[in-house]
Amino acid sequence: VGSEMCIRDSIKAAGFTDCVVYLDGENANIVVKSEEGGLIQTEAAQIKDILLGEVNVAAENIRIYDVE
């Protein structure tokens, strides 16, 4: 849970208004509130970099969802 909060706070500090992080062993799911039009590729990459700075999860097990 500590990692989830740290990742969430880092994502919010990067300029995203809100997000929820779920870590489940080998999987990571992140739900991010995005601006109209959804996440762009560089934003998704930024979120993935923040996540991988905190936990070791295989890239294929990272799911990023955006909601407006």
Side-chain angles (χ1 to χ4, degrees):
V1 175
S3 293
E4 291 171 342
M5 289 177 58
C6 187
I7 293 165
R8 184 197 66 208
D9 291 346
S10 295
I11 291 171
K12 289 172 84 173
F16 297 93
T17 55
D18 201 7
C19 76
V20 179
V21 178
Y22 299 101
L23 299 176
D24 180 18
E26 300 176 356
N27 300 300
N29 294 298
I30 302 172
V31 181
V32 180
K33 183 171 177 67
S34 64
E35 298 299 317
E36 191 172 326
L39 286 177
I40 58 173
Q41 199 167 15
T42 54
E43 291 172 326
Q46 181 182 20
I47 291 168
K48 191 178 285 191
D49 286 347
I50 291 169
L51 173 74
L52 292 174
E54 292 293 325
V55 294
N56 187 12
V57 176
E60 63 269 15
N61 295 339
I62 299 171
R63 302 281 182 263
I64 301 172
Y65 305 94
D66 63 323
V67 295
E68 292 183 19

